[in-house]
Amino acid sequence: MCGIVGYIGDKSPVEVIMTGLHRLEYRGYDSAGVAVVNKDGLGCIKSLGKLKILDAKLEESPLLGQTGIGHTRWATHGVPSEVNSHPHFNVAKTIAVVHNGIIENYYELREQLKATGIEFRSQTDTEVIAHLVDKYYQGDLFAAVKRALKDCEGAYAIGVICKDQPDVLVAARHGSPLIVGLGENEGYIGSDVPAIMKYTRKVMYIENGHVCEITRQGVKVEDVNGNPVQMEVKNIEWDDAAAEKEGYPHFMLKEIHQQAAVLRNTLGGRVHEGSDEVQLTDMNISKDELKACKKIFVVACGTAWHAGMVGKFLIEKFAKVSVELDLASEFRYRDPVIPENSIMIPVSQSGETADTLEAIRIAKSRGAQVAAIVNAVGSSVARESHGVVYQQAGPEIGVASTKAYTSQCMAFALFAIWLGETRGVLSKVEAKELITHLRQIPDKVDEILNNQDKIKELANRPEYRDAVGCFFLGRNVNFPSALEGALKLKEISYIHAEGYAAGEMKHGPIALVTETFPVICIAVKGETYDKMVSNIQEIAARKGLIISVATEGDKSIQAHSKDVIYIPECFEAFSPILVAVPLQLLAYYIAANLGCDVDQPRNLAKSVTVE
Ligand code: M6R
């Protein structure tokens, strides 16, 4: 979604801002702009499309100054256009604003402002903020922003500069993420850590309702009523190289290849060498609460929801607690019944997904204990939950989620074992056996990654690469694998793909199967293997182009399949982690062969911070 960068100090604001905006490109955007305070007032350049267009414009007409703000926009109100791109201004062009989020009462505010004679330039909700700050400005930008925000409802992170106060940068947050970075006689704002990590590692995570005045002398934080707020300064320990591609043509491919290491991380922090006991201390759920728990709610969106489906299977199997799985966007509107002693597990890579956050708030207001599975450290989901299991996957830049998914599945496996043992459903011996299986997973992922030639070859075959549509089928714990495989393929290659529970085929979807229709069948050894083989035979009888994903050594599957991708033998309950990898690779190579923008697919944003 939208990205914000701002700077005050001795460096070139445009250079800092453009570096930051490039670092945020992975979030998805349709236009961009930058504004700087200089001796002539406020200079601004905007462009529709990719940042390289804005780079070229800035090279042609450099913007000089000492304080600036920049933005990448992902349209919500008003079409993607130069006029609607940020920054937005007051009538006299003395105040500039960048904004992430949505001002929900913007229409009402816009009408009120229009009634006073103000002519709006854009169709955006953001422009009302610029006019409101102007309305309340009496020589103190900080005070004017605080007052203006009292009129605004909705979600926002904003950065504001003013021609008459070139030494001040004001920022505020309510619902959309915002950080302030600190340096020597300088300050930064960003909507995400990568935006400013080239320049500083010292950051403050701004909380909802807080407004900051940033000058070269330091940062003052208050709430909208002027009450001072003490902020903690945190040190970012991410490796800068983590945000680069490290020789891979796309971030997605790099992230697929990071998975073995990531899974070792997810596991390593929780099951220490020489011990077979799971420790999830940051979940902040006591043994008594775990024992008393009658129901678990899992909420998430997209790929994280697929991981949640794997989680439901694992928790019910190993801990015997009933799990309700919901899309966060549905949970928040369905008036859910949340019994006493319920636990909610929200799942989110970014930790900033608007619907997931709202689901958390509802669950908390109804008395549930909320323990999140999250990747982004310090994100809103992590902070708003009572406890957390960090996935330890590092920053995920590709819009298509890969390492975040497999590490979420791993985190669920750990949670299920921990819960099962605590509740006395699993014996120590059984838990130990499960841990042994989990410990083998990263090496098996490496094995798949080291043997990907077959997948590359299939991805280049015209019958698969140029297909107009296809199915992914799975059963049991690999039903979510089918959904995830289909989502991966469709979001990056634009090939229409549907995931189904294989047993559902006969209830309608099989009507689509013809001799040019690929069907990817997940048929790893396990409880429903024979059922899956029957489904494969039914598709073969309709001449569907079957690619089976099967367990190494299963020769008989070849008789019914056009092609087979093998994965190492694996304990069935944990097989979704392995199955995900060849499906990610297949989607990646097909999309790359088709020349698609793999890391930033059309219409998609990395982090969906509006509902
Ligand atoms: O950051 P989150 O995990 O909360 O994001 C949820 C979805 O938006 C995300 O998984 C999305 O579906 C990805 N594009 C999938 O690859």
Side-chain angles (χ1 to χ4, degrees), residues 300-305 347-353 356 381 391 396 398-402 404 408 484 487-488 491 604-608:
C301 304
T303 285
W305 183 72
V347 192
S348 178
Q349 187 288 127
S350 63
E352 301 297 346
T353 301
T356 309
V381 168
Q391 299 170 220
E396 190 179 65
V399 164
S401 193
T402 52
Q408 282 159 355
E484 176 58 10
L487 178 62
K488 277 305 76 92
E491 70 180 329
L604 291 184
K606 181 63 183 163
S607 133
V608 184

Side-chain angles (χ1 to χ4, degrees), residues 188-452:
Y188 303 80
I189 61 169
S191 49
D192 204 352
V193 173
I196 58 173
M197 70 191 276
K198 179 175 174 200
Y199 298 103
T200 181
R201 298 300 171 113
K202 286 193 171 43
V203 304
M204 290 172 173
Y205 287 96
I206 305 307
E207 298 282 347
N208 285 340
H210 292 171
V211 190
C212 324
E213 183 186 52
I214 303 141
T215 62
R216 285 159 199 260
Q217 288 71 48
V219 182
K220 187 155 79 179
V221 186
E222 292 181 359
D223 65 19
V224 285
N225 296 315
N227 299 308
V229 178
Q230 286 310 314
M231 296 295 301
E232 208 185 320
V233 178
K234 299 223 163 134
N235 207 33
I236 299 298
E237 275 153 20
W238 286 0
D239 177 1
D240 204 22
E244 302 295 341
K245 289 188 197 142
E246 289 172 359
Y248 289 97
H250 295 100
F251 281 111
M252 182 182 175
L253 191 60
K254 173 184 152 188
E255 287 156 5
I256 291 173
H257 281 84
Q258 286 178 322
Q259 289 179 109
V262 163
L263 291 165
R264 284 185 194 106
N265 280 348
T266 316
L267 196 58
R270 282 57 186 247
V271 192
H272 299 287
E273 280 295 319
S275 132
D276 293 305
E277 204 183 320
V278 179
Q279 288 173 349
L280 298 177
T281 44
D282 292 341
M283 272 225 148
N284 287 335
I285 310 180
S286 67
K287 285 200 166 178
D288 287 344
E289 282 169 321
L290 289 178
K291 283 181 185 155
C293 173
K294 297 265 176 322
K295 181 142 228 156
I296 292 177
F297 291 84
V298 174
V299 291
C301 304
T303 285
W305 183 72
H306 299 154
M309 200 180 282
V310 174
K312 172 181 163 73
F313 175 96
L314 297 175
I315 294 167
E316 291 185 341
K317 190 170 181 71
F318 298 133
K320 303 290 177 224
V321 182
S322 155
V323 177
E324 257 185 53
L325 171 73
D326 267 287
L327 291 163
S329 53
E330 289 298 315
F331 179 88
R332 62 184 291 189
Y333 293 112
R334 78 166 168 87
D335 199 10
V337 176
I338 304 184
E340 234 185 297
N341 300 322
S342 293
I343 296 174
M344 170 180 271
I345 306 184
V347 192
S348 178
Q349 187 288 127
S350 63
E352 301 297 346
T353 301
D355 285 320
T356 309
L357 275 166
E358 197 48 40
I360 292 172
R361 291 171 194 145
I362 291 169
K364 278 169 80 179
S365 73
R366 297 184 187 191
Q369 185 72 15
V370 180
I373 294 178
V374 183
N375 191 32
V377 177
S379 59
S380 303
V381 168
R383 284 178 293 124
E384 292 201 24
S385 300
H386 299 112
V388 66
V389 179
Y390 282 122
Q391 299 170 220
Q392 321 261 31
E396 190 179 65
I397 309 294
V399 164
S401 193
T402 52
K403 61 178 180 171
Y405 173 71
T406 45
S407 57
Q408 282 159 355
C409 294
M410 179 64 93
F412 266 118
L414 291 169
F415 177 75
I417 297 169
W418 184 58
L419 185 63
E421 208 180 339
T422 310
R423 290 171 69 91
V425 177
L426 288 178
S427 67
K428 274 210 172 321
V429 176
E430 286 166 327
K432 185 174 170 185
E433 205 179 311
L434 292 174
I435 294 294
T436 307
H437 287 303
L438 271 186
R439 282 199 164 120
Q440 293 167 356
I441 294 282
D443 287 348
K444 293 183 180 185
V445 166
D446 265 338
E447 223 180 288
I448 298 170
L449 291 170
N450 292 334
N451 291 296
Q452 49 180 281

